[in-house]
Amino acid sequence: MLATQSDVQASLFTRLLDARRRTDELFDLVRPDALYDRPIAERHRIVFYIGHLEAFDWNLLRERLFRANSFHPDFDHLFAFGIDPVDGGLPTDQPSDWPSLAKVREYVQGVRDELDDRLAPILDNARNDDSGEFPASQLLNVAIEHRLMHAETLAYMLHQLPFDRKRSVETPVPTGTHPRTAVGGAIEIPGGSITLGLPRNGHQFGWDNEFEEHTVTVPAFAIDRYKVTNREYLEFMDAGGYRNRSFWSAEDWNWKESASITHPVFWTRKDGAWHWRGMFTEIPLPPDWPVYVSHAEASAFARWAGKSPPTEAQWQRAAYATPDGRQRDYPWGPEPPNSSRGNFDFFSWDPMPVAAHPNCASAFGVEDMLGNGWEWTSTPFQPFPGFAPFSFYPGYSANFFDGKHYVMKGGSPRTAACMLRASFRNWFQPRYQYVYSGFRCVQNH
Ligand SMILES: [Fe+2]
């Protein structure tokens, strides 16, 4: 039976509450005396994000859906925007520059009370409100996915927090498919077409950068069956990968030298052996897990291997196209994501072996494409033909069409299921190391 419009609206409210629970749990992981820490130099202190998630929802919905008055304009402004400095300039604010935790929490509760009182009648009457300039369902989806994206980027941030600054939680042991040893190799993808993006007249929610739908032709290429593993990356390191200038672009080399980078940021050296620094503990480096590295490091590995990261269109074709010229909803077929299909949707805090989910292979047999770590592409983040920014959030994508960000596809262990749709595009700066992102390589014929 088809869901009615009011079912969809009610589920949006439930999803908003679920997303709040998700981010509340993350802040609860942090010891109270660490909430004013800044685990990543390029980002705000943790306390900012407590206020930001509510300020975003309130600033987005307050006038457009409710015409309500602000009860704390200073905080609406203070917590409005995150940061992503591209010029090397780092924030210099001090903990004492921020309001007390009690004041921030009071603001958060105030926003939730104001929103929830007003959302119920609006969503009950959604058919009317969905016909206006700002459809309630679109704004709610923006609020939900914005929060879920922060649930992921907050995990990157808390990952960098020292273990004794956070509380450990039980991590579920991966179940399902018995991990196989990855026997990699490359898979031939014949030349053909692939459709990217979403149609504007469709009914699926997407961010501004996912429109407009368009089809491109991709010449034949070969792509790695799996993401590059820690074992493979170690071969690159042992071969002098970080010491040989010829593998690096001039900008990447200068960055690596000036920041004294000699290994992936998630690796540590202890007792003469490499270890994985996980969310809550350190373990001997798991050889079959995907390596997480910056775009700069991924590109250097690819150059050493005589290959390159895929373009966005190549990645999309390897994931979703079929040999008979059709296109799948997900790499494995039409079934929606669940934990048997990959390492995503908050099931795990850390990666799994790259060969752990053979039942999620694409039609061409490429594995582990959704979850277990984003995958860098060689495509700079640019608008699709027909792009138009959301009037209510003009800078969401357009501020990053600067040639200084690269598209990532797939998803990580901390990517929510709703963002595993084929059209979803993620992007980061090429020398930002803290993302749960690895890569696989292609060979062009
Ligand atoms: Fe944000």
Side-chain angles (χ1 to χ4, degrees):
M1 197 174 75
L2 283 175
T4 64
Q5 180 74 355
S6 57
D7 286 343
V8 172
Q9 302 295 342
S11 89
L12 280 170
F13 190 56
T14 307
R15 287 178 58 206
L16 178 64
L17 299 183
D18 285 346
R20 281 183 191 162
R21 201 169 307 123
R22 189 71 70 188
T23 47
D24 286 350
E25 283 169 6
L26 276 167
F27 294 123
D28 286 345
L29 288 181
V30 183
R31 293 194 182 280
D33 62 338
L35 282 167
Y36 288 72
D37 287 6
R38 189 200 307 280
I40 296 178
E42 293 92 337
R43 295 290 183 260
H44 277 310
R45 296 176 186 281
I46 297 167
V47 64
F48 164 83
Y49 298 93
I50 300 178
H52 171 63
L53 296 174
E54 255 56 44
F56 180 90
D57 291 356
W58 185 234
N59 291 335
L60 177 72
L61 304 174
R62 180 176 67 80
E63 285 188 335
R64 296 185 182 92
L65 284 190
F66 316 128
R67 293 177 182 77
N69 292 325
S70 172
F71 63 92
H72 204 322
D74 290 351
F75 278 15
D76 297 346
H77 181 73
L78 179 67
F79 292 113
F81 297 108
I83 49 173
D84 178 33
V86 292
D87 53 2
L90 298 175
T92 56
D93 56 271
Q94 296 302 309
S96 58
D97 295 334
W98 293 92
S100 72
L101 206 53
K103 290 241 168 358
V104 180
R105 296 230 192 258
E106 191 184 324
Y107 174 74
V108 166
Q109 195 53 52
V111 168
R112 290 185 182 185
D113 291 346
E114 293 272 345
L115 283 183
D116 296 355
D117 281 352
R118 293 179 163 95
L119 272 173
I122 290 240
L123 293 176
D124 281 346
N125 195 21
R127 269 157 297 203
N128 295 335
D129 290 276
D130 251 5
S131 62
E133 185 188 0
F134 302 112
S137 63
Q138 186 184 40
L139 296 181
L140 262 289
N141 269 300
V142 164
I144 291 163
E145 291 205 2
H146 170 262
R147 184 176 290 266
L148 290 171
M149 281 185 229
H150 274 291
E152 176 164 355
T153 54
L154 278 165
Y156 307 158
M157 182 173 285
L158 301 188
H159 203 116
Q160 298 304 320
L161 198 62
F163 296 140
D164 62 4
R165 304 289 278 164
K166 53 192 166 188
R167 296 184 302 109
S168 184
V169 296
E170 288 290 318
T171 305
V173 177
T175 55
T177 311
H178 183 71
R180 302 172 296 156
T181 300
V183 181
I187 291 178
E188 291 292 328
I189 310 291
S193 66
I194 187 72
T195 299
L196 294 92
L198 288 172
R200 206 176 286 284
N201 56 4
H203 298 290
Q204 191 178 359
F205 170 74
W207 291 87
D208 55 1
N209 65 70
E210 295 172 62
F211 301 96
E212 181 68 75
E213 185 182 68
H214 63 292
T215 300
V216 297
T217 302
V218 184
F221 63 101
I223 189 166
D224 292 347
R225 177 185 293 274
Y226 302 115
K227 299 186 217 292
V228 172
T229 62
N230 287 327
R231 178 193 287 113
E232 292 165 321
Y233 198 81
L234 198 50
E235 289 173 28
F236 163 67
M237 300 219 342
D238 289 345
Y242 281 74
R243 300 190 299 277
N244 190 329
R245 194 176 194 134
S246 68
F247 302 139
W248 302 76
S249 73
E251 272 188 307
D252 289 348
W253 178 264
N254 291 341
W255 161 75
K256 180 186 74 63
E257 289 294 292
S258 62
S260 302
I261 287 160
T262 57
H263 58 81
V265 76
F266 292 93
W267 294 16
T268 56
R269 189 84 179 161
K270 203 166 80 179
D271 304 328
W274 288 111
H275 285 67
W276 164 262
R277 188 178 175 283
M279 186 64 156
F280 300 111
T281 184
E282 217 167 76
I283 56 172
L285 189 69
D288 289 325
W289 287 10
V291 68
Y292 286 173
V293 286
S294 64
H295 186 275
E297 291 162 296
S299 301
F301 175 99
R303 218 167 276 129
W304 168 75
K307 302 177 184 176
S308 58
T311 64
E312 181 178 11
Q314 284 176 324
W315 192 97
Q316 202 82 3
R317 183 158 161 75
Y320 297 104
T322 68
D324 60 3
R326 289 175 300 125
Q327 202 157 319
R328 291 178 166 182
D329 294 335
Y330 296 97
W332 55 80
E335 301 84 11
N338 65 53
S339 60
S340 75
R341 297 288 185 179
N343 183 11
F344 42 61
D345 204 29
F346 309 108
F347 178 73
S348 166
W349 288 99
D350 286 308
M352 294 178 189
V354 294
H357 292 96
N359 62 335
C360 77
S362 76
F364 290 111
V366 188
E367 294 189 27
D368 207 27
M369 296 204 85
L370 293 191
N372 213 25
W374 291 94
E375 296 187 26
W376 288 107
T377 74
S378 59
T379 302
F381 182 52
Q382 290 293 337
F384 285 159
F387 168 82
F390 287 156
S391 62
F392 52 83
Y393 194 174
Y396 173 70
S397 302
N399 286 357
F400 302 93
F401 296 147
D402 54 6
K404 295 177 176 172
H405 295 78
Y406 283 84
V407 173
M408 302 179 335
K409 293 292 294 185
S412 88
R414 310 306 295 177
T415 303
C418 59
M419 289 180 286
L420 298 172
R421 60 180 177 270
S423 56
F424 189 83
R425 311 168 79 199
N426 198 354
W427 67 92
F428 271 91
Q429 292 188 46
R431 291 174 280 278
Y432 189 66
Q433 295 183 283
Y434 305 108
V435 188
Y436 295 152
S437 185
F439 66 107
R440 70 181 80 216
C441 293
V442 298
Q443 278 183 296
N444 297 304
H445 300 312

